[in-house]
Amino acid sequence: AQTVTQSQPEMSVQEAETVTLSCTYDTSENNYYLFWYKQPPSRQMILVIRQEAYKQQNATENRFSVNFQKAAKSFSLKISDSQLGDTAMYFCAFMKAPAYSGAGSYQLTFGKGTKLSVIP
Amino acid sequence: EPEVTQTPSHQVTQMGQEVILRCVPISNHLYFYWYRQILGQKVEFLVSFYNNEISEKSEIFDDQFSVERPDGSNFTLKIRSTKLEDSAMYFCASSLSLRGKAKNIQYFGAGTRLSVL
């Protein structure tokens, strides 16, 4: 079974500054995907960024980037130039890659989340 | 932009009653999921559904739970006889196709808060 740990229940950052949210995971799988989801106060979870484990290059989406360390099983999220709209719960999630298309499902295993507050 | 829609946003029920939570996934998606989040705890996987049948379910998804896709658009979660511990936020999600990178990106609804009294 997989586990995902987010060790920072709450964090805050000044607007325009950079913040890093940490995530570690435990798995015996070699092929998997990692995600960061954002859940603003309106409650809908939105995908922020996705990383495929077989790719060494860290994923980047505009102000969001990850530091993926496969050997250390670490997957941190860096938010640059923080904006007030970044205030949300951030969830790290793991997905095992199915053996073949259509096999099993693509269930997500989530961490407990980090509540990020961006301060004006 | 297409989105997953869940109704109602809040459901209050008495212990022992049946509830049906409704979801309208994104129209061309093929995989459907239910997750739940008990207050203060992790989001937990309940069940996945593909090709009109359950493809995977967790230990939480016992005989009290069932899922159905009664028509081409709705995806429902039924709890037959609710218990106090079923109180949680229930999220529906859907994902796209068998092939391509997008297949494993799940799009979530805003959730239904279930309160069992």
Side-chain angles (χ1 to χ4, degrees):
Chain A
Q2 284 70 231
T3 58
V4 177
T5 302
Q6 292 179 251
S7 59
Q8 305 150 316
E10 290 192 44
M11 292 190 73
S12 61
V13 62
Q14 292 285 348
E15 197 175 3
E17 296 294 306
T18 295
V19 64
T20 299
L21 310 183
S22 66
C23 172
T24 58
Y25 59 94
D26 189 26
T27 185
S28 57
E29 302 291 330
N30 193 46
N31 293 324
Y32 51 87
Y33 304 91
L34 295 163
F35 303 84
W36 279 97
Y37 277 90
K38 167 186 175 182
Q39 188 182 34
S42 65
R43 300 181 303 167
Q44 191 153 19
M45 264 195 286
I46 305 162
L47 178 68
V48 175
I49 201 164
R50 181 184 72 156
Q51 175 80 41
E52 291 144 309
Y54 66 85
K55 287 189 176 178
Q56 290 189 333
Q57 187 173 7
N58 289 323
T60 300
E61 286 288 341
N62 301 314
R63 297 182 295 109
F64 299 88
S65 61
V66 298
N67 183 5
F68 173 49
Q69 302 287 331
K70 190 172 183 180
K73 295 179 182 172
S74 169
F75 183 61
S76 60
L77 174 70
K78 185 170 86 170
I79 306 174
S80 304
D81 185 25
S82 298
Q83 300 175 0
L84 296 178
D86 295 334
T87 292
M89 282 291 286
Y90 286 81
F91 293 97
C92 178
F94 173 101
M95 177 190 289
K96 186 174 75 170
Y100 54 90
S101 288
S105 73
Y106 301 100
Q107 66 166 284
L108 289 163
T109 300
F110 286 90
K112 288 193 83 168
T114 296
K115 185 176 179 182
L116 177 67
S117 299
V118 180
I119 302 165
Chain B
E1 186 173 325
E3 58 180 33
V4 176
T5 306
Q6 289 187 245
T7 55
S9 57
H10 190 193
Q11 174 91 46
V12 181
T13 189
Q14 296 289 328
M15 191 169 59
Q17 295 296 303
E18 173 184 288
V19 294
I20 297 176
L21 308 183
R22 301 181 192 280
C23 170
V24 179
I26 295 173
S27 63
N28 61 341
H29 283 189
L30 299 177
Y31 290 86
F32 313 109
Y33 305 84
W34 283 102
Y35 293 82
R36 81 171 185 191
Q37 185 181 26
I38 294 171
L39 189 64
Q41 298 187 24
K42 293 185 181 187
V43 176
E44 301 170 289
F45 169 77
L46 292 179
V47 66
S48 60
F49 192 86
Y50 167 69
N51 199 25
N52 286 318
E53 60 184 22
I54 290 173
S55 50
E56 198 161 5
K57 60 183 180 180
S58 71
E59 292 174 353
I60 303 166
F61 195 86
D62 61 21
D63 292 344
Q64 292 298 312
F65 292 89
S66 62
V67 289
E68 196 177 37
R69 189 156 160 80
D71 52 42
S73 59
N74 290 285
F75 179 52
T76 62
L77 173 69
K78 183 194 291 187
I79 308 175
R80 251 179 285 281
S81 177
T82 50
K83 307 184 192 94
L84 294 176
E85 54 265 37
D86 293 328
S87 293
M89 182 73 83
Y90 288 80
F91 293 102
C92 174
S94 67
S95 62
L96 188 52
S97 61
L98 289 173
R99 295 181 180 81
K101 292 182 180 179
K103 65 178 178 241
N104 60 12
I105 296 175
Q106 293 183 23
Y107 295 84
F108 283 80
T112 293
R113 180 169 298 284
L114 177 65
S115 299
V116 181
L117 307 178

